[in-house]
Amino acid sequence: MLQALKEMQIPGKIVRLVNMVTKHTKAKIKLNNEYTEQTDVKTGIKQGDPLSTILFSTVMESLMRKLEIRGNVTTRLKRACVYTDDVVLVSRTEQALIDTFQ
C-alpha cells in the first residue's frame, strides 16, 4: 500500500502519516465497564476507517496502471469495475475474459 502511494506521487509526509496510523496503533477493549491491557493492533487499516476508501482506490488505481502496461490488456481493463473487495471484469467473449483474468 505504501509503495502504491509513492508510485501515485502522494507527498512523502502523507505516506509517513498513513504508515503511522496503519502500523503503530494500540487499543484497549472495554468489557463490563473495565478496560483490558493495551495491545498492539496488527491488522493494518481498520474496518470503517475513513481512510480505507481513499487508500483502496489509490492502491487499485496503481494496480490498474501497472496492468495497462501489458499491451492489449488496456482496453479490457477499462471495462473493469472495482469496489471494496470485489472486482468485476466484463468481456465480449469467454476467451477474452480468460485472457484478461490471466
Side-chain angles (χ1 to χ4, degrees), residues 58-91:
T58 304
V59 170
M60 289 308 298
E61 178 65 24
S62 174
L63 177 63
M64 297 296 243
R65 287 183 183 186
K66 285 180 183 175
L67 291 175
E68 287 183 356
I69 293 171
R70 298 185 190 172
N72 64 358
V73 175
T74 303
T75 56
R76 286 188 294 252
L77 283 177
K78 290 180 182 170
R79 291 188 292 266
C81 301
V82 179
Y83 180 75
T84 58
D85 61 352
D86 297 319
V87 177
V88 176
L89 300 174
V90 179
S91 181

Side-chain angles (χ1 to χ4, degrees), residues 2-48:
L2 296 175
Q3 185 60 34
L5 293 173
K6 291 175 189 174
E7 290 169 4
M8 296 297 292
Q9 299 178 345
I10 303 298
K13 184 174 184 174
I14 293 175
V15 174
R16 288 189 300 276
L17 288 170
V18 168
N19 185 42
M20 284 175 33
V21 300
T22 59
K23 300 247 176 155
H24 307 292
T25 304
K26 299 187 182 293
K28 291 182 179 183
I29 299 171
K30 185 176 181 181
L31 183 61
N32 295 328
N33 288 328
E34 293 185 25
Y35 288 94
T36 64
E37 293 293 320
Q38 186 168 301
T39 184
D40 291 327
V41 177
K42 299 177 183 174
T43 58
I45 300 169
K46 286 61 163 179
Q47 184 175 359

Side-chain angles (χ1 to χ4, degrees), residues 67 70 73 89 95-102:
L67 291 175
R70 298 185 190 172
V73 175
L89 300 174
Q95 187 58 49
L97 183 61
I98 291 169
D99 292 344
T100 300
F101 183 75
Q102 291 175 341

